[in-house]
């Protein structure tokens, strides 16, 4: 009935999932590879550990996205059932809440009474009104949880392969770290810029913030590994 709003919400949710997956995928494996580069002398070991982390991280991130989506659906369903029960068992209390909500938006008393009669004549409409305006809840898409899981997981894996790719074509972890840092920081700058543009934030500040976060995480991991490894 309303294809444009639904598409907009789906696109927003997908964009959010891509941002979550890519931002963590670019920073966490980069920090891990940087830390290992300060402690070991084998590029193959960095690659093996990096790939293992990407697999584990993408599964964990995807599962987290799925559970978050299912929790949202379950919370909505529980609140929906509670509203239906209250409309059935304490209708006068619920009507008073409708009056209060209508008063908050500035309707006159006479208009409020007419609106209350109209809204509460149909239990379905009544409950939808309470869900949206009393609780501030929109009905979530029950299919969003698996979509979020897949999107976050794939985005994490794609982001994680970017910093690791340099180690496939370099001879030592130190050389790999140098090229990985260049590649990853450029990607973080571009990603931070585009993300900020899409979300209406200052793009240059967003790019610098994203790159700074990745650099700080990698630098800290490298420093700790060097200290522990001697």
């Amino acid at each position: 009935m309303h294809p444009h709003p639904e598409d907009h919400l789906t696109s927003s949710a997908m964009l959010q999932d891509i941002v979550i997956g890519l931002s963590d995928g670019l920073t966490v494996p980069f920090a891990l590879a940087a830390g290992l580069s300060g402690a070991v002398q084998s590029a193959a070991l960095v690659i093996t550990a990096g790939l293992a982390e990407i697999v584990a991280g993408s599964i964990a991130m995807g599962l987290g996205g799925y559970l978050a989506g299912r929790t949202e659906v379950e919370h909505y369903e529980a609140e929906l059932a509670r509203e239906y029960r209250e409309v059935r068992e304490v209708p006068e209390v619920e009507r008073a809440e409708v009056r209060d909500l209508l008063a908050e938006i500035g309707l006159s008393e006479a208009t409020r009474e007419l609106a209350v009669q109209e809204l509460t004549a149909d239990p379905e409409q009544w409950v939808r009104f309470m869900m949206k305006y009393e609780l501030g809840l929109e009905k979530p898409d029950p299919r969003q949880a698996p979509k979020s899981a897949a999107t976050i997981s794939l985005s994490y894996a794609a982001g994680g392969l970017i910093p690791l790719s340099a180690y496939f074509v370099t001879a030592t972890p130190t050389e790999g770290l140098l090229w990985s840092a260049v590649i990853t920081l450029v990607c973080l700058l571009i990603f931070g810029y585009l993300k900020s543009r899409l979300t209406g934030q200052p793009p240059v500040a967003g790019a610098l913030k994203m790159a700074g976060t990745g650099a700080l995480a990698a630098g800290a991991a490298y420093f700790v590994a060097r200290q522990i490894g001697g």
Side-chain angles (χ1 to χ4, degrees):
M1 294 297 291
H2 303 286
H4 177 68
E6 290 178 1
D7 287 346
H8 177 71
L9 290 173
T10 301
S11 299
S12 298
M14 180 173 290
L15 175 62
Q16 183 180 23
D17 292 338
I18 291 173
V19 168
I20 292 170
L22 269 179
S23 59
D24 282 2
L26 282 168
T27 53
V28 177
F30 178 40
L32 172 66
L36 288 173
S37 297
V40 302
Q41 299 301 316
S42 170
L45 182 58
V46 176
I47 292 171
T48 301
L51 290 174
E53 196 286 326
I54 290 172
V55 171
S58 62
I59 292 173
M61 292 288 291
L63 181 60
Y66 178 82
L67 292 176
R70 286 304 308 164
T71 299
E72 184 180 3
V73 171
E74 291 167 2
H75 172 64
Y76 183 88
E77 291 175 347
E79 292 295 329
L80 185 67
R82 184 176 66 83
E83 283 297 328
Y84 272 114
R85 185 174 64 254
E86 290 178 349
V87 163
R88 184 175 61 254
E89 295 177 357
V90 286
E92 289 307 316
V93 174
E94 292 297 295
R95 286 191 179 91
E97 291 177 353
V98 173
R99 290 188 186 93
D100 292 340
L101 290 169
L102 295 176
E104 288 178 5
I105 62 176
L107 295 183
S108 66
E109 184 176 354
T111 304
R112 286 202 304 270
E113 290 305 317
L114 289 174
V116 168
Q117 292 178 19
E118 290 287 339
L119 285 169
T120 60
D122 179 6
E124 297 286 337
Q125 178 177 261
W126 188 355
V127 169
R128 284 199 302 269
F129 178 85
M130 300 302 288
M131 292 293 289
K132 184 172 182 177
Y133 295 103
E134 180 192 22
L135 302 179
L137 296 176
E138 296 282 353
K139 184 177 181 180
D141 183 357
R143 299 169 298 177
Q144 187 58 41
K147 289 179 184 177
S148 290
T151 303
I152 293 174
S153 182
L154 292 174
S155 298
Y156 185 94
L161 288 173
I162 291 174
L164 199 61
S165 62
Y167 292 90
F168 285 93
V169 294
T170 53
T172 65
T174 302
E175 187 181 358
L177 175 59
L178 175 63
W179 285 105
S180 178
V182 172
I183 294 169
T184 304
L185 290 176
V186 169
C187 289
L188 285 170
L189 284 169
I190 295 172
F191 176 63
Y193 183 89
L194 293 175
K195 185 196 79 169
S196 299
R197 283 290 298 272
L198 290 171
T199 56
Q201 303 298 315
V204 175
L208 293 175
K209 181 180 179 181
M210 182 70 73
T213 300
L216 181 62
Y222 183 83
F223 176 78
V224 170
R226 290 287 293 179
Q227 293 301 309
I228 294 175

